Amino acid sequence: MRNDFLVFGAPAIEQAEIDEVVDSLRSRWLGTGPKVDRFEKDFAHYKGVEGGRVAAVNSCTAALHVSMIAAGLQPGDEVITSAMTFCATVNAIIHSGATPVLADIDPRTMNIDPEQVEKKITPKTKAILPVHFAGRPCDMDRLVAVAEKYKLKIVEDCAHAVEATYKGRAVGTLGDFGCFSFYVTKNVVTGEGGMVVARNRKDIDRVKILALHGMGKDAWHRYSDKGFEHYQVVECGFKYNMMDLQAAIGIHQLSRVEQNWIARQYVWRQYRKAFADLPLGLPEEPEQDTRHAYHLYTVFVDAQHAGIDRDRFLDALTRLNIGVGVHYLSIAEHPYYRKRFGWRPHDYPNALYVGRHTVSLPLSPALSDKDISDVTDAVSEVLGQARIAKVRAL
Ligand SMILES: Cc1ncc(COP(=O)(O)O)c(C=O)c1O
């Protein structure tokens, strides 16, 4: 057993990020400024879109919220999203004033099932919010076809999927809006942080206004050396702007995004090899013509095969100093949503099954070969002990 605790999702921070943050501190320009500008330009370049189509914000939750307002959603409009996602996806829909509607997932990909989406469409449906779960692109051809058929907007939740592509196109550029997260465990990290990519420049202009109190676009530069400008409030916005301190980290994280992707792909392959003969369900390999972002490596633990249930497996790995995660309990299991929307977990059986049987193992680019073998040894040990206990009980 390893001596220290292997933290789940610890980011790979290098000297360049540290120096850039120190540079921001020394310059005493901490808030939104030239580094946010640069981070936006770098991100747009990475995604292959023009600079005027991205806006940095302070979380993916904020990105989703302002995107849905910019998409023109009104109270009473319905937005269909995945029954297997982080609560932020659903909360952002509620905060935008719209009503969330859940569609079940394909249990193999853990992504929203386009057939279930179509079944949930009503005259009130105005948007679809697919989540590229664990970094695996959704079936966008089918979702776009549904959106076109019913004239719906698409807001992509790309919190897990910075590097993912679908048929050669970057995720986040396939719908009307793409929303990214730079939270501490994500593939590109700024501490807290997010980004919106929009199909139209005018939508990004609105996103920028909404993200800074509703002040006219030029307010972003009001403390710069470009000359004093009065700002005008043109609508009631939010305080969602990214700081230079955050962008300072993001600029260097983004410059290593491909290197880190290769490092996580390596971990994924090591796990696949090590677990091939164990009584676990392993994640599907990426679909043809797509690029998986390798954000989460989730194994299925079914007591019937593994001899141990999911929650005991989580406890046992934690006791062996391996940090693990659950992504996620299905949305309809949470009491708030059940009470407010009358959702029942068994109405989304695939999301329920995934939420009750999956465990996410460490998949950080910061993992060493020793860390990886500590994880694979610990998993084998837990399953080996479960097997012995089962034989003894016979
Ligand atoms: C699928 C999904 N959507 C949205 C979010 C929200 O991201 P943020 O923490 O940047 O607001 C997360 C964060 O974990 C997420 O996993």
Side-chain angles (χ1 to χ4, degrees):
M1 169 176 145
R2 59 185 279 139
N3 296 327
D4 57 327
F5 189 72
L6 181 63
V7 176
F8 179 86
I13 301 292
E14 294 197 1
Q15 194 59 41
E17 285 92 314
I18 296 170
D19 291 343
E20 196 75 47
V21 168
V22 170
D23 177 71
S24 288
L25 292 171
R26 287 201 200 288
S27 77
R28 295 189 295 149
W29 188 294
L30 311 186
T32 307
K35 289 187 186 174
V36 170
D37 221 40
R38 181 172 153 204
F39 186 43
E40 285 177 340
K41 288 198 175 91
D42 291 354
F43 196 82
H45 182 255
Y46 180 65
K47 283 282 158 190
V49 300
E50 315 110 60
R53 283 179 48 200
V54 308
V57 289
N58 60 13
S59 70
C60 181
T61 310
L64 290 165
H65 184 195
V66 288
S67 292
M68 278 183 281
I69 296 175
L73 295 177
Q74 299 293 325
D77 289 348
E78 290 178 356
V79 178
I80 301 175
T81 194
S82 175
M84 172 46 60
T85 183
F86 186 51
C87 56
T89 316
V90 178
N91 291 349
I93 298 172
I94 299 170
H95 288 310
S96 76
T99 304
V101 171
L102 299 182
D104 204 0
I105 54 168
D106 173 339
R108 197 183 57 78
T109 63
M110 303 193 223
N111 276 332
I112 196 165
D113 178 347
E115 204 175 306
Q116 294 297 321
V117 170
E118 197 158 6
K119 282 193 184 145
K120 293 297 179 92
I121 287 175
T122 74
K124 291 182 183 166
T125 310
K126 291 289 163 6
I128 309 173
L129 204 171
V131 180
H132 302 291
F133 191 83
R136 182 188 302 275
C138 292
D139 186 345
M140 290 307 291
D141 278 352
R142 286 174 69 202
L143 290 173
V144 168
V146 173
E148 281 173 358
K149 183 169 166 194
Y150 296 94
K151 301 198 171 14
L152 310 175
K153 298 271 186 187
I154 295 185
V155 179
E156 300 175 64
D157 183 334
C158 310
H160 300 177
V162 173
E163 308 91 339
T165 62
Y166 177 83
K167 301 194 173 171
R169 293 170 65 198
V171 308
T173 67
L174 299 149
D176 299 279
F177 296 87
C179 300
F180 295 84
S181 174
F182 308 127
Y183 176 64
V184 292
T185 57
K186 296 297 193 281
N187 294 356
V188 168
V189 165
T190 61
E192 299 286 358
M195 190 75 78
V196 181
V197 176
R199 195 197 297 283
N200 300 313
R201 285 183 88 104
K202 77 171 185 3
D203 285 337
I204 275 297
D205 291 346
R206 176 106 193 268
V207 160
K208 288 206 158 194
I209 289 168
L210 285 165
L212 194 63
H213 302 298
M215 299 193 303
K217 197 172 145 229
D218 292 339
W220 286 73
H221 302 291
R222 71 191 189 283
Y223 297 123
S224 75
D225 55 5
K226 290 183 185 153
F228 188 86
E229 280 191 56
H230 290 284
Y231 62 84
Q232 298 206 306
V233 175
V234 294
E235 64 179 308
C236 181
F238 308 90
K239 187 67 170 68
Y240 284 166
N241 54 304
M242 178 180 277
M243 299 168 73
D244 265 20
L245 266 184
Q246 295 165 304
I249 305 172
I251 288 164
H252 296 284
Q253 284 275 304
L254 191 60
S255 74
R256 293 199 311 277
V257 63
E258 289 301 305
Q259 187 183 317
N260 288 342
W261 179 85
I262 290 167
R264 291 195 313 280
Q265 186 188 48
Y266 172 75
V267 181
W268 175 291
R269 289 180 174 171
Q270 296 304 105
Y271 285 165
R272 190 182 55 191
K273 246 190 278 169
F275 301 150
D277 297 324
L278 296 184
L280 290 173
L282 302 187
E284 289 285 320
E285 286 306 296
E287 285 73 24
Q288 281 259 304
D289 228 358
T290 69
R291 185 186 202 217
H292 198 298
Y294 299 124
H295 177 57
L296 296 173
Y297 189 91
T298 47
V299 292
F300 282 86
V301 183
D302 193 319
Q304 278 198 329
H305 303 294
I308 181 169
D309 70 29
R310 193 275 304 271
D311 287 357
R312 280 174 49 231
F313 184 85
L314 287 168
D315 279 344
L317 280 179
T318 310
R319 271 200 305 274
L320 291 174
N321 273 343
I322 305 297
V324 282
V326 171
H327 299 88
Y328 304 90
L329 285 188
S330 67
I331 289 294
E333 289 217 67
H334 295 288
Y336 175 78
Y337 306 122
R338 292 174 68 164
K339 198 160 157 212
R340 178 155 174 185
F341 300 110
W343 292 337
R344 293 172 308 188
H346 287 91
D347 290 341
Y348 311 93
N350 296 334
L352 182 64
Y353 183 82
V354 167
R356 290 193 178 172
H357 293 90
T358 50
V359 173
S360 302
L361 299 175
L363 185 61
S364 157
L367 295 180
S368 65
D369 278 321
K370 162 87 169 55
D371 293 331
I372 299 169
S373 59
D374 285 345
V375 175
T376 55
D377 289 351
V379 168
S380 302
E381 185 178 331
V382 169
L383 293 172
Q385 281 169 0
R387 199 166 43 239
I388 292 167
K390 202 169 156 186
V391 170
R392 283 204 183 125
L394 289 176

